[in-house]
């Protein structure tokens, strides 16, 4: 852990910088220090790199000091002198203390440069050996601090690092602010942090400190972390084994504050047992102390009222009065005056100023008082789910009536689209269910586990199922628990191979139970073995068993799986099987499930070039799964919509959807490989090809780690496409050849499944292997003709045109490209149409006797702009530049140094070289200003420069050092 220095100072010595150990070791900061702070770091870095000052602000524990130390470590290396102070509340009454920290050790170096009156006043203030005060020596002291900083800056850049500005003694704050406002072009940068509490006071607080900062200071706010960022932070610090539901509670209780989240994570890790549903998180003493001192100022009655509020889900004064707190308004007003409650102008809800206050208050209360609060709320609450929950938390031991009410509440929550709440209520129901009841506690636990699966809480579901399997004897409970274990494995189904023999043994000869096991065996055949034919047979067998056992839900899932296999295999029975899966009676949850008939029909529509219908189907399904709270299905349908928009040439929208899907997948820990695969394709089309390659490699790695043969081929196809867009045809060929081998081995014959064939043929042409390219085209064309895949045929024609052009068959190549483009436009494949127009422009530009120029590419440019296909626009611009430049050397505006940058980074750098502002660049590239700023920060780091000026010098061929 880095030590907190009162003063740090570095000096040049014969051209080298001597960096204190604390700074030197922090320069390569740990990854967990920047979790959720990438934008803040980027903004602060850019400001410091161009010689400006930075003011970090945010509430206590939000990470200001960590960010400040890391930035200071980084920029100390480029500073001649580093001055540092870190104030504390207990010392804020001591005049000139912060000034002594900053200038005490350099006083001897600068004193001779100061006029006598200034030197005397400054020495008196810093040493305490005189009677200097602001009232007596105000002007001399102010000018002395300014002169001292100027004297230090004359020898080289100065970095002033000041933490906790809110505790600076008033005299030091006044003097530092006076100097800061007058430094002008003097190379002195201030890097400061100040605590600002709550939106009501935050603006005023940092505005006051901004006025005491140099005019070019940039205020950078550090806000709360997202749930995914909190999960990553906890994992980095060794708390990776927590359930996602627990991480959700930590995020809610901490309010996204990293310090609070880590303290809660540590308390949970040290706790002998995880809290059960309804139980509070263990709030460590270190955090309770932050709020309990204020609670001591409340009256006993007000504290009881706040306890009832902390136990409620959405407490209001009316609810508190109904729960027996007659003076709720006056008592909550008292709490608000102490800063424990926040006023809510939007409504009457009683809202705690921070979730931690509620958690600490509840955790501190004795168990009998908590039960009494829940008992009062069990009759006062109007919502039946809330009443049942409070009744359970007010009741000790088993109680069949309470258990029944909780089970009813879980069913209601399920219907309302809150499966996570249903899982929690189901576990409470199981806890209160007597062992000899029907349904029994294990059956209710399994139901809770199934709700947890629906909510995307796989780890919780797995643990519940494993607990059931340790003691359950009923075959139905055991098989359902085994199914939860298999479902929770997701794409890594091969890791639970040992489960299948045990599940089959428990199922015996019961067709209902056997149907469930064989349905999962169908998935195993597909995912682990990559055998679509075997998967189809297992699914058909499961459907027959389910029909015999009158299990319509499993029958529908099995039929949908069978239809999916047949569609991907190009099997002629696919439409009929889809029809059987869509026949009545339907199970509403299966109908919208990502493995249900609706999903199978979507896939068939996409592969049949019916994009408008596919979009409408996916949109409807997404709306329904969101209503039902089906987290995993939401991830899938967002990805499906992204795929449809990508085919349609709406690259910007596809990128938004793919990123949203991936974010949700990472948050829930489900479908991350598939999400990375689709995001890679979207980035390659409308974002950053470098990012596309990263995501595609991640998708391949995840599929290989999971043993997922299905998504491995799709991930490799995304990798091949990303390499082709990035200009590496050789790498594209290597990846796509593997896809071809995998799909032949799996029995996949429909070329519309992955649509990689055109990319492979094009890459083979570019690597000088036209014979293999024609083989790919002819084999794929035969299947596409048999299945009527019009868009695939057009793309294959586009690829064949490249082969013919290489043979010198110019007229035939132009005819094929023209036809391909028209057909793709008619089918609504905007991006593929634009690629055909680009290939046509290239062909015309290469025609003998034709003068090269930009006009040949106008139509391709128009179409790519319409699609917002930024990487492809860059390729067109590069092609135009190459044609215009001929054999002459590249212009100075595109130096060799940019070759190592990603595509987006090169675009931004080139526009900076042209003199464009960040806002102009953002508008031109269809991105946000923040994205431009973050990209520039990466460019500076990669090129070893510090500012836009250095980039312009680089463009002119000048030195940047």
């Amino acid at each position: 852990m880095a030590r907190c220095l009162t003063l740090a100072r570095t000096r040049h010595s014969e051209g080298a910088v001597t960096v204190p150990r604390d700074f030197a070791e922090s320069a390569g900061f740990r990854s967990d220090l920047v979790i959720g702070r990438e934008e803040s770091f980027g903004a602060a870095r850019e400001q410091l790199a161009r010689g400006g000052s930075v003011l970090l602000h945010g509430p206590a524990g939000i990470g200001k000091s960590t960010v400040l130390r890391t930035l200071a470590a980084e920029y100390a290396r480029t500073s001649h002198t580093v001055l540092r102070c870190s104030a504390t509340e207990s010392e804020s009454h001591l005049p000139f203390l912060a000034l002594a920290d900053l200038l005490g050790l350099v006083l001897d170096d600068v004193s001779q440069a100061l006029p006598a009156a200034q030197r005397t006043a400054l020495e008196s203030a810093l040493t305490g050996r005189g009677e200097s005060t602001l009232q007596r020596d105000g002007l001399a002291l102010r000018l002395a601090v300014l002169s001292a900083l100027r004297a230090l800056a004359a020898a080289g850049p100065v970095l002033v690092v000041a933490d906790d500005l809110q505790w600076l003694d008033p005299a030091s704050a006044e003097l530092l602010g006076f100097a800061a406002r007058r430094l002008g072009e003097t190379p002195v940068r201030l890097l400061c942090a100040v605590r600002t509490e709550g939106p009501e006071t935050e603006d005023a607080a940092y505005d006051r400190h901004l006025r005491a900062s140099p005019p070019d200071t940039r205020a950078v706010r550090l806000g709360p972390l997202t749930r995914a960022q909190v999960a990553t932070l906890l994992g980095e610090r060794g708390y990776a084994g927590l359930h996602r539901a627990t991480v959700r509670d930590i995020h809610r209780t901490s309010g996204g504050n990293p310090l609070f989240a880590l303290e809660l994570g540590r308390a949970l890790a040290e706790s002998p047992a995880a809290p059960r549903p309804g139980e509070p998180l263990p709030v460590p003493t270190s955090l309770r102390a932050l709020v309990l001192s204020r609670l001591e100022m409340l009256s006993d009655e007000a504290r009881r009222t706040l306890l009832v509020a902390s136990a409620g889900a959405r407490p209001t004064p009316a609810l508190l009065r109904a729960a027996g707190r007659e003076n709720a308004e006056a008592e909550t007003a008292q709490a608000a005056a102490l800063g424990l409650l926040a006023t809510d102008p939007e409504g009457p809800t009683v809202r705690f100023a921070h979730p931690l206050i509620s958690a600490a208050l509840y955790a501190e209360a004795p168990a009998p008082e908590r039960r009494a609060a829940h008992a009062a709320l069990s009759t006062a609450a109007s919502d039946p789910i809330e009443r049942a929950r409070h009744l359970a938390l007010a009741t000790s031991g088993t109680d069949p009536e309470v258990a029944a009410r909780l089970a009813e509440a879980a069913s209601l929550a399920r219907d309302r689209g809150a499966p996570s709440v249903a899982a929690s209520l189901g576990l409470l129901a199981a806890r209160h269910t007597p062992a000899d009841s029907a349904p029994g506690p294990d059956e209710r636990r399994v139901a809770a586990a199934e709700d947890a699966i629906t909510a995307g809480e796989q780890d919780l579901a797995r643990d519940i199922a494993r607990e059931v399997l340790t003691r359950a004897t009923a075959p139905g409970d055991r098989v359902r628990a085994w199914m939860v274990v298999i479902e929770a494995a997701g794409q890594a189904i091969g890791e639970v191979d040992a489960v299948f023999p045990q599940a089959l043994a428990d199922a015996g000869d019961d067709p209902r139970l056997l149907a469930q096991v064989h349905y999962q065996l169908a998935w195993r055949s597909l995912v682990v073995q990559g055998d679509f034919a075997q998967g189809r047979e297992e699914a058909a067998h499961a459907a027959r068993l389910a029909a015999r056992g009158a299990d319509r839900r499993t029958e529908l899932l099995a039929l949908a799986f069978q239809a999916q296999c047949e569609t991907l295999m190009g099997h002629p029975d696919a439409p009929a099987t889809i029809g059987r899966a869509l026949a009545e009676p339907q199970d509403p949850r299966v109908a919208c499930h990502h493995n249900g008939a609706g999903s199978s029909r979507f896939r068939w529509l996409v592969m049949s070039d019916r994009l408008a219908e596919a979009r409408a189907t996916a949109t409807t399904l997404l709306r329904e799964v969101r209503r039902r709270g089906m987290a995993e299905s939401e991830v899938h349908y967002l990805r499906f919509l992204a795929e449809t928009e990508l085919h349609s040439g709406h690259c910007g929208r596809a990128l938004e959807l793919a990123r949203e899907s991936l974010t949700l997948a990472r948050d829930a820990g489900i479908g991350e490989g598939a999400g990375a695969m689709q995001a890679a394709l979207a980035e390659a089309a409308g974002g950053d090809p470098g990012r596309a390659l990263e995501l595609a490699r991640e998708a391949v790695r995840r599929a290989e780690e999971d043993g997922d043969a299905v998504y491995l081929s799709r991930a490799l196809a995304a990798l091949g496409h990303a390499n082709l867009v990035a200009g590496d045809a050789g790498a594209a060929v290597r990846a796509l050849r593997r896809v071809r081998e995998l799909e032949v081995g799996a029995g996949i014959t429909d070329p519309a499944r992955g649509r990689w064939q055109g990319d492979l043929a094009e890459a083979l042409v570019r690597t000088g292997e036209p014979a293999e390219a024609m083989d790919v085209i002819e084999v794929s064309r035969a299947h596409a003709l048999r299945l009527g895949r019009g868009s695939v045929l057009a793309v294959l024609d586009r690829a064949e045109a490249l082969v013919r052009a290489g043979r010198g068959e110019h007229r035939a190549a132009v005819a094929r490209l023209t036809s391909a483009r028209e057909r793709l436009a008619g089918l609504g494949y905007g991006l593929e149409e634009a690629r055909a127009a680009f290939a046509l422009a290239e062909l015309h530009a290469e025609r003998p006797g034709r003068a090269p120029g930009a006009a040949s590419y106008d139509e391709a440019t128009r179409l790519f702009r319409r699609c917002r296909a930024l990487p492809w626009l860059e390729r067109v611009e590069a092609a135009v530049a190459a044609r215009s430049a001929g054999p002459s050397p590249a212009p100075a505006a595109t130096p060799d140094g940019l070759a190592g940058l990603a595509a987006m980074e090169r675009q931004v750098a080139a526009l900076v070289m042209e003199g464009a502002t960040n806002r102009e660049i953002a508008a031109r590239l269809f991105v946000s200003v923040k994205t431009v700023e973050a990209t520039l920060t990466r460019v500076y780091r990669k090129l070893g420069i510090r500012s836009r000026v250095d980039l312009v010098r680089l463009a002119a061929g000048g030195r940047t050092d």
Side-chain angles (χ1 to χ4, degrees), residues 101-116:
D101 284 345
L102 287 170
L103 299 177
L105 295 184
V106 296
L107 180 60
D108 292 343
D109 297 345
V110 300
S111 61
Q112 297 306 312
L114 304 181

Side-chain angles (χ1 to χ4, degrees), residues 690-781:
R691 177 65 176 151
L693 285 168
E694 292 173 11
L695 288 165
R697 292 185 185 115
E698 177 191 343
V700 171
R701 174 179 56 78
R702 287 184 180 277
E704 289 176 335
E705 289 175 353
D706 291 344
D708 184 351
V710 175
Y711 270 107
L712 178 58
S713 62
R714 298 202 64 186
L716 286 166
L719 180 59
H721 179 75
N723 274 306
L724 185 63
V725 174
D728 190 343
V733 166
R734 290 191 294 274
L736 295 172
R737 276 176 176 160
R738 283 189 66 192
V739 178
R740 191 182 191 191
E741 293 169 4
L742 287 168
E743 293 206 350
V744 168
I748 300 172
T749 61
D750 194 331
R753 188 247 180 176
R755 299 177 183 270
W756 49 266
Q757 298 83 1
D759 282 347
L760 176 54
E762 181 177 336
L764 286 166
V765 170
R766 296 188 185 284
T767 56
E769 300 169 86
E772 185 181 348
M774 278 307 302
D775 179 62
V776 171
I777 291 167
E778 289 169 355
V779 171
S780 303
R781 181 179 284 143

Side-chain angles (χ1 to χ4, degrees), residues 1-28:
M1 182 179 293
R3 296 190 303 276
C4 182
L5 296 181
T6 302
L7 170 74
R9 179 183 171 208
T10 64
R11 287 303 186 109
H12 278 295
S13 176
E14 298 181 351
V17 180
T18 303
V19 183
R21 179 177 179 83
D22 299 76
F23 286 155
E25 290 186 345
S26 298

Side-chain angles (χ1 to χ4, degrees), residues 475 478-479 482 501-515 517:
R478 292 187 61 80
V479 171
W482 286 126
Q502 299 175 71
L504 284 169
D506 283 332
D509 56 2
D510 186 329
R512 289 177 62 91
L513 301 181
L514 285 170
V517 182

Side-chain angles (χ1 to χ4, degrees), residues 276-569:
R276 295 188 296 181
E279 291 182 342
L281 290 177
V283 180
T285 305
S286 58
L287 295 185
R288 293 189 195 189
L290 293 174
V291 296
L292 293 182
S293 58
R294 280 184 283 175
L295 289 171
E296 292 174 358
M297 302 171 68
L298 287 172
S299 66
D300 289 344
E301 289 301 310
R303 185 165 179 158
R304 291 191 185 96
T305 296
L306 285 198
L307 175 60
V308 175
S310 71
R314 292 172 297 277
T316 63
L319 177 66
L320 295 176
R321 285 196 305 272
R325 308 311 303 164
E326 297 177 357
N327 299 314
E329 282 87 351
E331 289 159 357
T332 54
Q334 181 189 353
L338 292 171
L340 294 166
L341 295 178
T343 56
D344 189 352
E346 301 297 323
T349 303
V350 175
R351 184 165 59 88
F352 285 88
H354 192 282
L356 187 63
I357 298 172
S358 174
L361 173 64
Y362 189 90
E364 188 73 8
E369 289 186 18
R370 292 204 297 260
R371 285 197 295 272
H374 286 296
L377 288 168
S378 70
T379 57
S382 59
D383 184 82
I385 291 177
E386 278 301 293
R387 287 200 302 270
R389 186 179 74 88
H390 288 303
L391 179 62
L393 296 174
T395 305
S396 300
T398 60
D399 186 319
E401 184 179 344
V402 171
R405 285 184 59 181
L406 285 163
E408 290 172 6
S411 179
L412 180 58
R414 198 177 299 123
D415 291 340
R416 287 183 181 178
S420 181
V421 174
S424 177
L425 291 167
L427 288 175
L428 284 171
R431 188 196 307 175
H432 291 287
T433 300
D436 56 355
S437 293
D442 285 331
E443 185 174 347
R444 282 180 167 150
R445 287 190 184 92
V446 172
E450 291 167 346
D451 284 325
I453 285 284
T454 302
E457 297 176 5
Q458 272 76 357
D459 43 7
L460 174 62
R462 184 189 304 109
D463 284 357
I464 297 170
R466 293 288 187 188
E467 181 186 355
V468 168
L469 288 165
T470 60
R471 57 170 175 260
T473 56
D477 292 345
R478 292 187 61 80
V479 171
R480 285 175 67 190
W482 286 126
M483 295 306 99
V484 168
V485 172
I486 294 169
E487 285 281 352
Q491 296 302 115
I493 192 172
E495 296 178 1
V496 293
D497 260 356
V499 164
F500 288 100
Q502 299 175 71
L504 284 169
D506 283 332
D509 56 2
D510 186 329
R512 289 177 62 91
L513 301 181
L514 285 170
Q516 296 177 47
V517 182
H518 281 280
Y519 171 67
Q520 295 295 349
L521 282 169
W523 276 106
R524 183 190 177 282
S525 297
L526 190 63
V527 174
V528 178
Q529 297 172 291
D531 191 334
F532 278 72
Q534 178 63 29
R536 174 179 178 269
E537 290 301 320
E538 285 284 4
H541 182 47
R544 290 191 295 270
L545 286 167
R548 204 164 77 223
D551 180 359
R552 184 60 173 163
R553 180 182 185 278
T554 302
E555 182 186 8
L556 290 170
L557 285 169
L559 286 170
F561 183 93
Q562 181 183 343
Q564 189 93 297
C565 287
E566 290 171 350
T567 299
L568 297 175
M569 294 168 65

